Amino acid sequence: MSLSICQSNLSPSNEELKPHGTVHFPCAGYRDAYEEMPGFRVPWHWHDEMEIIYAKAGAVCVRIPAKTYRLLAGDCLVINSGILHEAVTEPDGIINSLVFSPSLISGSDESAISQKYIKPLVSNPAFRDYKFSEESDPDLVRNFTAAYQALADDSPGYEFTIRNKLSEICFALCREFEHTGDSEASDNTYDLRIRNMLDFINENYAADMSLGEIAQAG
């Protein structure tokens, strides 16, 4: 399975419509270089898949509602399923990313991995994003780079390597967020407001809109 360049195809509600991977192996890898495109903007969007963004070189700003990350070389950012995000690139940025369905890790909805780990993680309102780096969590970065390289090489059995390495990352996230939840539920309400405002803008783009009207739509 080869790598791709990330290209957005969005619904009116800013859901990304492009499939990531296949039904049989729902994972896709992307490599984007921005040496000659500083300031390039990946628009606000969301998808049901989880995403891990790795700054290979340079820098990129990734935004989710109410939070902005500036990723430098060696930094990783995990974005949960359904979370709005956008990115603005900086000079010499090279970004590697994996976008994968939680079902790649859990298998069937009835599996123990799904019931004990993946469903509670994905539905945890405290888990919207998680940043780690080669300095703070070198093992997690190595897991990501091993999974990404396996996909890039398309070597025999790459599916086992990818699923294994992403499972290690997901288990680390489960442990990180196992004692959180209700305290950050309001953040998901903020995500919903942003989605509603984006819907309003898309539905009324040809009309004159005031900031007050856009705010009320949220």
Side-chain angles (χ1 to χ4, degrees):
M1 183 179 291
S2 60
L3 302 175
S4 304
I5 296 173
C6 187
Q7 295 176 325
S8 297
N9 179 19
L10 306 181
S11 75
S13 65
N14 288 71
E15 178 184 7
E16 191 167 36
L17 299 176
K18 181 180 66 176
H20 299 284
T22 67
V23 173
H24 304 293
F25 194 75
C27 177
Y30 302 96
R31 182 187 185 277
D32 297 284
Y34 303 105
E35 291 94 337
E36 299 178 0
M37 293 188 297
F40 177 77
R41 178 175 173 269
V42 180
W44 285 104
H45 66 285
W46 62 277
H47 37 69
D48 289 330
E49 296 86 357
M50 297 173 67
E51 181 169 1
I52 306 177
I53 301 169
Y54 173 68
K56 178 73 172 177
V60 62
C61 282
V62 181
R63 300 187 180 110
I64 65 171
K67 194 181 294 185
T68 298
Y69 291 99
R70 185 170 185 261
L71 303 183
L72 303 176
D75 290 341
C76 270
L77 181 66
V78 185
I79 299 173
N80 194 12
S81 167
I83 298 299
L84 278 165
H85 54 286
E86 70 162 358
V88 179
T89 64
E90 297 188 20
D92 302 320
I94 298 178
I95 307 303
N96 296 342
S97 62
L98 291 173
V99 183
F100 63 97
S101 170
S103 66
L104 178 69
I105 311 302
S106 63
S108 71
D109 285 344
E110 293 75 28
S111 73
I113 292 175
S114 177
Q115 296 295 324
K116 292 177 64 176
Y117 304 105
I118 300 303
K119 277 189 175 180
L121 175 65
V122 171
S123 62
N124 186 340
F127 171 47
R128 302 164 70 239
D129 56 273
Y130 183 72
K131 181 183 176 183
F132 57 94
S133 67
E134 292 175 344
E135 181 178 352
S136 65
D137 295 286
D139 289 341
L140 292 187
V141 174
R142 281 193 289 268
N143 282 328
F144 171 82
T145 55
Y148 185 86
Q149 195 59 49
L151 187 67
D153 292 343
D154 199 17
S155 54
Y158 72 88
E159 297 94 340
F160 286 106
T161 300
I162 293 169
R163 188 182 185 209
N164 177 49
K165 299 303 181 182
L166 293 181
S167 294
E168 293 282 352
I169 294 174
C170 286
F171 181 57
L173 292 170
C174 290
R175 297 184 67 180
E176 179 71 25
F177 290 95
E178 64 183 340
H179 299 303
T180 64
D182 295 338
S183 61
E184 299 190 26
S186 60
D187 284 341
N188 279 8
T189 301
Y190 190 77
D191 286 353
L192 182 59
R193 288 192 62 218
I194 296 294
R195 287 194 197 180
N196 289 339
M197 286 188 282
L198 289 171
D199 286 347
F200 179 80
I201 293 170
N202 282 316
E203 291 170 2
N204 299 278
Y205 67 92
D208 290 331
M209 292 176 284
S210 69
L211 291 176
E213 289 174 326
I214 294 173
Q216 287 179 357

